[in-house]
Amino acid sequence: MIAPQSLLSRRTLLLSALAIGASACSREADAPASAPADEGEAAPPPQAAGDLPVVALLGDSITAGYGLPAKDALPAQLEAALAAAGTPVRVRAAGVSGDTTAGALARVDFSIQDDTDLCVVALAGNDLLQGIEPATMRANLVGIITRLKARNIPVLLAGMQAPPSYGAYATDFAAVFEGIAGDHDLPLYPFLLDGVALDPALNQDDGIHPNAAGVKVIAQRLAPAVAGALAGD
């Protein structure tokens, strides 16, 4: 196993990871107030918030909305994107900035509530920065998924990318997500930052965390995968 190059800064490491990911992934009108009985049944009333499916985002600073107000963070923007696409849900934030797969495994039982209809597991960026062995990261992710499945909570796995300069480490890192998705019959969203990584217009000044516009892109691209997972596709 080849460990990450120790002379590179943390920021350089993540920007490199984003680079490979970026290159790899280049209502109807309102009804009348009243209608004749022979025109069919009236539209059902809007669902109350308590009746909506619940989607939880288990992740790190990207899902936690680092540097952004709550209204611009991924939970709020994903909820808006799904509603606009005709899949109204409640999206719960369960992201902790700086979290690794090990940290999420330690808190998954209390961070994800029992009424969750789908958990999006979006981790591993910090594992990459810390040079955590892919086998360890895989074991942590499998532990998270196993605990969620034991509670009958479906999972959508969101992947991250490692730079090819990491050699065998990058190969093993990339294989983790597809391997887990295949072994555990999970839907996979290959790269959480697809369409956003390395675009200055879509990222904050650190070049790592998406700004509000970048989060909107993530939400719009992720929404169909979430809707499909909720539908069992």
Side-chain angles (χ1 to χ4, degrees), residues 138 141-142 145 149 155-158 174-190:
R138 190 186 201 283
L141 288 170
V142 169
I145 292 160
K149 282 191 167 184
V155 173
L156 168 63
L157 182 61
V176 165
F177 301 99
E178 289 188 3
I180 291 176
D183 291 347
H184 295 269
D185 193 24
L186 300 177
L188 174 65
Y189 185 76

Side-chain angles (χ1 to χ4, degrees), residues 85-228:
T87 305
V89 302
R90 282 192 296 151
V91 178
R92 282 197 190 122
V96 174
S97 293
D99 221 358
T100 61
T101 54
L105 175 59
R107 66 182 176 85
V108 63
D109 291 337
F110 60 84
S111 289
I112 305 302
Q113 300 178 33
D114 288 338
D115 63 346
T116 301
D117 294 286
L118 177 71
C119 182
V120 180
V121 176
L123 294 153
N126 290 307
D127 293 67
L128 173 63
L129 286 176
Q130 295 180 23
I132 293 172
E133 290 290 338
T136 300
M137 181 181 77
R138 190 186 201 283
N140 291 335
L141 288 170
V142 169
I144 291 169
I145 292 160
T146 300
R147 291 188 183 184
L148 291 169
K149 282 191 167 184
R151 296 163 60 195
N152 296 314
I153 298 174
V155 173
L156 168 63
L157 182 61
M160 187 54 64
Q161 300 287 337
S165 59
Y166 282 25
Y169 181 95
T171 301
D172 292 344
F173 188 94
V176 165
F177 301 99
E178 289 188 3
I180 291 176
D183 291 347
H184 295 269
D185 193 24
L186 300 177
L188 174 65
Y189 185 76
F191 184 35
L192 184 65
L193 298 176
D194 180 28
V196 174
L198 294 181
D199 186 337
L202 299 178
N203 284 278
Q204 299 178 43
D205 290 343
D206 62 8
I208 296 173
H209 296 94
N211 57 26
V215 173
K216 185 174 183 179
V217 171
I218 294 172
Q220 290 175 337
R221 295 192 177 205
L222 181 61
V226 171

Side-chain angles (χ1 to χ4, degrees), residues 31-45:
S34 60
D38 60 1
E39 290 186 7
E41 296 182 1

